[in-house]
Amino acid sequence: MNKTHWDESGLFQAILDKCPVGIAVINYEGIYLTVNPAYCDIYGYTQNEMLNHSFTMIFPSADKLPVLERHQRFLEESTRLGGEWSVMHRDGSQMTVFSESVTFYPAHGLPARLVYVQNITERKKAQEQMKIAAAVFDASQEAIVVTNSENNIVTVNPAFTVLTGWSLEEVKGLNPREFKSGRHPTFFYTEMWQTLNETGQWIGDVWDRHKDGTEFLKELRISVIKDPDSNVINYVGMFSDITLRKKQEELIWQQANYDAVTGLPNRHLFKTKLEQAALHASRTRHIMALMLIDLDQFKSVNDSMGHRAGDELLGCVALRLLECAHNADCVARLGGDEFAIIIPDIDDPAECTDIARDILRTLDSPFTVNGEAIFVSASIGISLYPGDTENLEELFKNADQAMYAVKNAGRKNFRFYSRALHDAIHTRLRMIRNLRKALAENQFVVYYQPIISVKTGHITRMEALVRWFHPVQGLISPDAFIPLAEDTGLIVPIGNWIAKEAITQLAYWRQKYDPELKMTINLSPVQLRSQEFEDIPWIRDLQSHELDGEAVTIEITEGLLLNSEKRVNYNLKMIHQIGIQIAIDDFGTGYSSLAYLRKFNIDFLKIDRSFVEDLKGVGFELCTAIIAMAHSLGLGVIAEGVETEEQENLLIKLECDYMQGYLYSKPLPADEIEKLLVLPYRR
Ligand code: C2E
Ligand code: CA
Ligand code: CA
């Protein structure tokens, strides 16, 4: 058929059929008279399904009656009607259509309505989404900044203004680099752009500058928006201020890894560092050393001066350790008064020796806390990796054992771990077990050693010296078990027992041989620290034997006087007050400070055996000086360990007051000593 020769109605039909807009004619009763394919398409029906049916079919049931009424009212009252309608697709889904209606007058009968309809559901949805997006943009707590392809700011949201201080007007057209803090190196930004261009996204933390000049840290996420041809249209940056959070994180990290008292890494961080150091040592085939440092007198400082002073002391110690160990990987505080050092890349263990000596030396000078001079020393244990072990836990244990060995050998020294040490530790543990039973099983015996007065030539004093007879191991020297008894606190009951024995013995001897005889009792620092004067049982024993305080002299070591501990001071004062005399044992081997001798009303100095032994060498000078000084302070002097007449003669020449030693008698059990008392020794 020739297209140019269509008749009129054929033409209309063709227009209706091809028209992309939905067209329908609805009569007054609401019945579809005409629907074109586009119209049917919109709603999902066929023409047959719609023609001669009520147009209310496209409305939900509740709306059917009102829309029919509105339809009729429209036909009666106006000529045009347009707007958006919420209608229903045949499949039940909701749609939005835009329709335009005009009144249409057929040749006969009531007016009808001609409707043009467009499906705007998708557009409508997009609009809704835009609205939501805009609301989010405005309401977001996160700052949002949108830039164009040149990265110049197009828009920012209100949160941006709140976080940065800049308003949209002020920043429009600016490049965000204007906000740079200068904290990041150039490559930081180069890498950011590289990632952004490659992946379309970048996430990271950036320090920027606030309008008022302060710097703040933001957690930033940048996304690239591209058109279908992959050309950049926009960059969208979203960020929040995490300065505070970062600070808190850092604080938490600090607290988790550092010791608040000294500022040194704590045990936790130290472990990590040790693992790293071990890895490094294995990789480079070097040796690493673990050094454990334990302060010797810290507890007494803490107890007597308070925790605050203790903390201050720890801080000062930490500083000195850092100075000594500047080559170390890590100087840490493991807790209490225990420090640790990792020394990496060792070629020769002598390097550790140097550091250990350095530490001991630097601790030699007193610390000043609260205006008081405090003396501390350290015991240092060292274990080598991978020399001693390849297991870090064992490395710790080894260094610990070495450190304890130093403590037991008199403290203030250092020691490397060794197999022999390992065995010694086991012996020590066995001994502690035995020691716990010794008192109950009557294994202790007190021996006595006479002290001779140079002036009279008589035995005027006795020193009580304890002996331990173990049923299997036999005689155990006090040098071997007293330190153990001190460490375990057993020295308190053992010491009290010794004193009770010695006092009972003295009372007997006084009555039988010499009413002037005096007894000298060794007191461990631990005894004076851990009991109060009023609770010391042997003080009461004195009274029950009707003995004056003067009958007894206690021997203490200088170390006890160095840190002025409240309880020790009090105990010494009270002891002195009831007439008990005080002697400093092993004088000359420690700090030998005159100030302490005066402060504590000391009565005697006992010159250490080592000086008497060396009377022909430097010992002579020392003995001369000690005796002269003691006399100038009004103190008596007792020489210990006198073995030869030559020594005796020299000491008499130096005007020493008392002599004690094998030359006169070894320490002996009471019944043997009695033989000496029957025939008083005469020089
Ligand atoms: P110390 O108080 O310095 O006692 C003197 C030590 O020298 C005693 O050793 C004694 O036997 C020894 N000695 C005495 N004269 C001579 C001599 O001429 N030559 C030689 N080579 N040695 C001589 P001992 O009895 O083995 O006691 C060792 C240390 O054990 C004592 O040294 C003292 O610190 C401690 N100790 C002994 N008994 C007690 C005690 O009952 N309580 C306390 N807390 N410690 C005690
Ligand atoms: Ca002594
Ligand atoms: Ca001594």
Side-chain angles (χ1 to χ4, degrees):
M1 200 188 1
N2 192 334
K3 283 177 191 170
T4 53
H5 288 103
W6 286 356
D7 61 22
E8 211 167 79
S9 71
L11 181 61
F12 280 139
Q13 195 56 50
I15 291 170
L16 272 181
D17 287 349
K18 302 290 178 211
C19 181
V21 177
I23 297 171
V25 177
I26 305 167
N27 73 6
Y28 186 81
E29 277 80 36
I31 302 298
Y32 283 124
L33 299 182
T34 307
V35 286
N36 76 341
Y39 188 93
C40 298
D41 241 29
I42 289 173
Y43 299 105
Y45 293 96
T46 63
Q47 267 173 306
N48 278 340
E49 285 168 334
M50 296 194 104
L51 277 177
N52 300 317
H53 288 85
S54 168
F55 85 102
T56 58
M57 68 191 290
I58 59 166
F59 288 92
S61 340
D63 293 351
K64 286 185 197 302
L65 203 60
V67 294
L68 183 62
E69 281 168 11
R70 195 166 342 134
H71 162 78
Q72 291 174 342
R73 212 165 39 246
F74 158 72
L75 288 177
E76 288 157 10
E77 294 168 4
S78 61
T79 52
R80 287 188 84 90
L81 176 70
E84 288 176 14
W85 304 91
S86 197
V87 292
M88 249 167 51
H89 191 268
R90 184 189 190 181
D91 65 14
S93 61
Q94 256 212 351
M95 309 165 45
T96 308
V97 294
F98 177 80
S99 77
E100 190 96 45
S101 303
V102 291
T103 313
F104 177 79
Y105 296 96
H108 307 286
L110 293 167
R113 185 154 67 101
L114 177 63
V115 195
Y116 317 92
V117 183
Q118 264 181 300
N119 185 355
I120 58 163
T121 309
E122 290 310 312
R123 198 200 313 162
K124 190 78 191 165
K125 271 190 196 153
Q127 273 174 1
E128 292 293 321
Q129 227 122 47
M130 287 285 286
K131 253 198 222 159
I132 293 168
V136 169
F137 183 79
D138 283 344
S140 167
Q141 293 285 97
E142 256 195 313
I144 302 173
V145 51
V146 183
T147 63
N148 62 15
S149 55
E150 266 87 57
N151 200 27
N152 293 322
I153 294 177
V154 180
T155 186
V156 297
N157 72 343
F160 177 92
T161 305
V162 172
L163 293 191
T164 68
W166 298 100
S167 69
L168 173 60
E169 291 71 40
E170 288 168 322
V171 297
K172 206 166 187 168
L174 289 184
N175 188 303
R177 84 166 73 93
E178 309 277 340
F179 310 127
K180 257 191 205 174
S181 66
R183 277 212 197 192
H184 303 284
T186 317
F187 73 80
F188 175 85
Y189 297 99
T190 321
E191 277 173 14
M192 174 199 286
W193 280 102
Q194 202 175 332
T195 311
L196 204 49
N197 291 334
E198 279 167 13
T199 67
Q201 252 219 52
W202 184 87
I203 298 172
D205 297 347
V206 184
W207 283 98
D208 266 0
R209 205 178 281 284
H210 189 275
K211 187 180 175 184
D212 67 14
T214 56
E215 290 177 350
F216 70 100
L217 184 66
K218 61 194 202 184
E219 190 178 57
L220 174 64
R221 200 167 63 242
I222 309 176
S223 312
V224 185
I225 297 174
K226 293 179 179 173
D227 67 13
D229 298 328
S230 295
N231 300 309
V232 174
I233 313 173
N234 292 113
Y235 297 99
V236 179
M238 295 202 249
F239 61 86
S240 45
D241 185 343
I242 56 162
T243 318
L244 204 68
R245 195 181 83 197
K246 190 79 180 175
K247 267 194 199 140
Q248 282 164 343
E249 273 172 14
E250 271 165 14
L251 193 72
I252 290 168
W253 193 82
Q254 179 84 17
Q255 282 169 348
N257 289 287
Y258 286 87
D259 164 46
V261 173
T262 60
L264 295 179
N266 64 10
R267 183 180 284 273
H268 176 74
L269 183 56
F270 184 78
K271 261 189 158 165
T272 315
K273 296 254 185 194
L274 190 66
E275 278 159 19
Q276 288 166 353
L279 209 66
H280 173 81
S282 310
R283 241 189 250 132
T284 58
R285 297 182 180 283
H286 269 100
I287 293 176
M288 157 189 94
L290 168 64
M291 197 180 263
L292 290 185
I293 302 155
D294 197 280
L295 301 186
D296 294 330
Q297 298 83 357
F298 181 70
K299 201 182 161 324
S300 71
V301 173
N302 229 7
D303 290 349
S304 63
M305 300 184 65
H307 283 272
R308 227 173 234 253
D311 284 357
E312 204 177 320
L313 178 64
L314 288 174
C316 298
V317 169
L319 286 179
R320 291 200 196 171
L321 290 182
L322 282 169
E323 264 172 43
C324 296
H326 46 86
N327 284 335
D329 245 12
C330 178
V331 177
R333 178 177 172 223
L334 302 184
D337 55 357
E338 201 181 24
F339 296 84
I341 300 179
I342 302 169
I343 307 160
D345 302 330
I346 295 174
D347 297 316
D348 183 348
E351 293 171 34
C352 299
T353 309
D354 289 344
I355 294 177
R357 288 223 173 92
D358 225 27
I359 291 172
L360 293 173
R361 201 176 314 124
T362 185
L363 292 180
D364 255 349
S365 35
F367 292 85
T368 311
V369 174
N370 289 349
E372 280 197 58
I374 295 184
F375 292 83
V376 288
S377 60
S379 302
I380 304 173
I382 307 165
S383 184
L384 302 177
Y385 178 97
D388 295 337
T389 173
E390 305 217 351
N391 174 313
L392 290 185
E393 227 164 88
E394 225 163 83
L395 187 72
F396 245 105
K397 223 159 88 191
N398 293 349
D400 207 49
Q401 293 192 347
M403 193 262 288
Y404 269 100
V406 173
K407 285 235 183 254
N408 297 326
R411 310 190 152 97
K412 199 182 174 184
N413 210 336
F414 68 91
R415 180 161 186 173
F416 284 88
Y417 169 80
S418 69
R419 181 71 213 175
L421 178 60
H422 179 85
D423 297 342
I425 300 283
H426 281 269
T427 311
R428 171 186 150 86
L429 289 177
R430 198 183 55 218
M431 200 132 127
I432 288 176
R433 275 198 306 274
N434 289 341
L435 198 56
R436 289 192 196 283
K437 292 186 289 191
L439 199 54
E441 295 181 3
N442 284 320
Q443 292 169 5
F444 294 115
V445 177
V446 180
Y447 275 32
Y448 300 92
Q449 187 177 34
I451 298 172
I452 285 74
S453 158
V454 172
K455 206 159 69 194
T456 66
H458 290 296
I459 296 173
T460 54
R461 309 171 157 267
M462 291 285 180
E463 179 174 2
L465 293 160
V466 70
R467 297 290 177 265
W468 179 14
F469 291 96
H470 187 266
V472 179
Q473 286 169 267
L475 177 69
I476 301 173
S477 147
D479 283 327
F481 73 84
I482 295 284
L484 284 190
E486 289 180 329
D487 285 353
T488 52
L490 288 168
I491 191 66
V492 176
I494 296 175
N496 286 334
W497 178 84
I498 295 166
K500 185 189 172 74
E501 276 287 304
I503 286 165
T504 310
Q505 191 63 57
L506 177 69
Y508 173 71
W509 281 339
R510 273 200 165 196
Q511 189 199 357
K512 198 160 174 200
Y513 304 106
D514 179 2
E516 298 289 308
L517 191 68
K518 292 176 194 251
M519 184 61 72
T520 289
I521 297 166
N522 292 285
L523 283 197
S524 149
V526 178
Q527 285 175 271
L528 282 162
R529 284 193 184 112
S530 53
Q531 40 186 4
E532 198 83 8
F533 174 77
E534 283 74 14
D535 304 327
I536 299 176
W538 55 264
I539 302 274
R540 264 173 277 130
D541 294 335
L542 280 176
Q543 290 158 5
S544 63
H545 286 106
E546 291 174 353
L547 292 172
D548 286 339
E550 276 97 280
V552 171
T553 300
I554 57 163
E555 290 190 11
I556 58 174
T557 46
E558 276 172 281
L560 185 65
L561 309 179
L562 290 181
N563 296 321
S564 102
E565 299 167 55
K566 263 198 211 98
R567 180 182 274 172
V568 170
N569 292 357
Y570 172 74
N571 286 344
L572 287 178
K573 197 182 98 192
M574 294 307 289
I575 282 173
H576 201 264
Q577 222 165 63
I578 61 165
I580 295 177
Q581 294 185 301
I582 304 174
I584 301 292
D585 210 351
D586 308 335
F587 190 80
T589 57
Y591 297 90
S592 311
S593 157
L594 284 180
Y596 296 115
L597 300 182
R598 276 208 205 90
K599 184 173 165 192
F600 290 97
N601 295 312
I602 302 302
D603 301 286
F604 297 100
L605 297 187
K606 292 189 81 169
I607 301 179
D608 191 65
R609 196 170 75 226
S610 59
F611 303 130
V612 173
E613 209 178 318
D614 192 27
L615 260 178
K616 282 200 271 184
V618 286
F620 185 80
E621 306 287 320
L622 267 159
C623 288
T624 311
I626 291 172
I627 293 168
M629 181 193 79
H631 286 166
S632 74
L633 290 170
L635 273 58
V637 180
I638 303 165
E640 281 189 318
V642 181
E643 293 183 355
T644 65
E645 285 181 11
E646 195 181 8
Q647 290 166 344
E648 181 188 55
N649 288 330
L650 279 171
L651 287 162
I652 291 173
K653 236 188 249 161
L654 293 176
E655 298 183 357
C656 184
D657 305 294
Y658 298 89
M659 306 284 180
Q660 179 183 4
Y662 293 174
L663 180 62
Y664 315 102
S665 169
K666 288 196 171 188
L668 294 170
D671 52 355
E672 287 184 46
I673 281 290
E674 257 182 75
K675 293 175 194 157
L676 298 177
L677 286 173
V678 177
L679 299 166
Y681 181 89
R682 193 152 245 302
R683 192 163 47 80

